[in-house]
Every structure is written in C-alpha cells, then in structure tokens.
Amino acid sequence: MTSEPEPRVGVVVPIYNVEPYLEECLASIARQSVRELDVVLVDDGSTDASAEIARAFVGRDPRFRLIRQPNGGLGNARNVGAANVRGRFLAFVDSDDVLPDHALELLAGTLEETGSDIASGNVQLLTED
C-alpha cells in the first residue's frame, strides 16, 4: 500500500463573518505557486454567507477542506485547524488576507534554506484608496 506524500504546506484559514473578503482570500491561496497544499478552512460559527462561500470553494478544489464548528474564537479556530491540517510547513492565513502568488513558495523556501522555525512575510494594508 502506498500513501500519499505529505503536502509541502498546510494552510489554516479561520473564518468568521468575512463574506466580503473570503472569495478573494481563498482564490489567492489556490493560485499559489506551491501546488502541494492542504488547506483547512475552519468556519467558526459564521452567521453570514461565509460558510456557503467556503463550501463552494471546497467543491471546486480538492486541496481545500471545511470544518464547521460553533463559535469558539480565533485562537480555538486556529488550534482546530492546526490539529487537522497536513503539511511539512504550517501557515496561518486570516480570512481577509490576500497572498501574492509566490508567497508560500518564498516562505517555505526560506525555512528550507535557513533551517529557521518561523518565517513571516511583509504586510501591506489595502484600503479603498
């Protein structure tokens, strides 16, 4: 019996009432140059259409999985995701974030090259302007 290789990056996305931002966030993860992803979406009791957006995305991309739970807060949602995700490296992406196409490749590559335990990317705040 052969087992599937471990994904290079496991991504956890906690979700709570982020309907206006979620589709763009998930699309940016799907576009990553790192193709070997396991993406766990944790819907933390959203009362808007966030869960439906996440479910539709899961139906389109087999690298994405959805866990739904009652609201337990951001830390709990991250912990649940981390306990259920697979990958050599672990990334947390907030559900209102948008990643550049090579972000996870650059971060994972930096960890592989340096042996560091943590890598962080640059952050730019986007406004209506």
Side-chain angles (χ1 to χ4, degrees):
M1 179 166 98
T2 61
S3 62
E4 236 179 84
E6 182 178 42
R8 186 168 178 209
V9 181
V11 180
V12 173
V13 183
I15 298 169
Y16 182 74
N17 290 348
V18 288
E19 180 180 354
Y21 313 104
L22 189 56
E23 180 72 31
E24 188 174 6
C25 172
L26 300 182
S28 77
I29 295 169
R31 284 192 306 266
Q32 290 299 297
S33 56
V34 173
R35 303 303 302 161
E36 306 83 21
L37 298 175
D38 180 35
V39 184
V40 174
L41 312 174
V42 182
D43 175 48
D44 195 38
S46 293
T47 58
D48 65 0
S50 295
E52 289 74 27
I53 293 167
R55 188 173 328 146
F57 215 94
V58 166
R60 295 191 306 263
D61 192 325
R63 299 173 299 166
F64 287 67
R65 296 181 284 135
L66 175 61
I67 296 172
R68 297 193 70 189
Q69 65 180 28
N71 184 259
L74 179 59
N76 177 265
R78 285 183 176 149
N79 289 338
V80 167
N84 286 280
V85 74
R86 297 176 40 237
R88 179 169 176 214
F89 300 108
L90 172 62
F92 292 103
V93 176
D94 287 342
S95 50
D96 60 351
D97 290 345
V98 176
L99 300 179
D101 293 351
H102 300 288
L104 296 177
E105 179 75 40
L106 293 171
L107 291 168
T110 297
L111 292 172
E112 289 167 338
E113 289 171 20
T114 66
S116 297
D117 293 327
I118 298 173
S120 177
N122 189 16
V123 176
Q124 295 180 337
L125 180 62
L126 303 177
T127 65
E128 290 180 16
D129 298 330

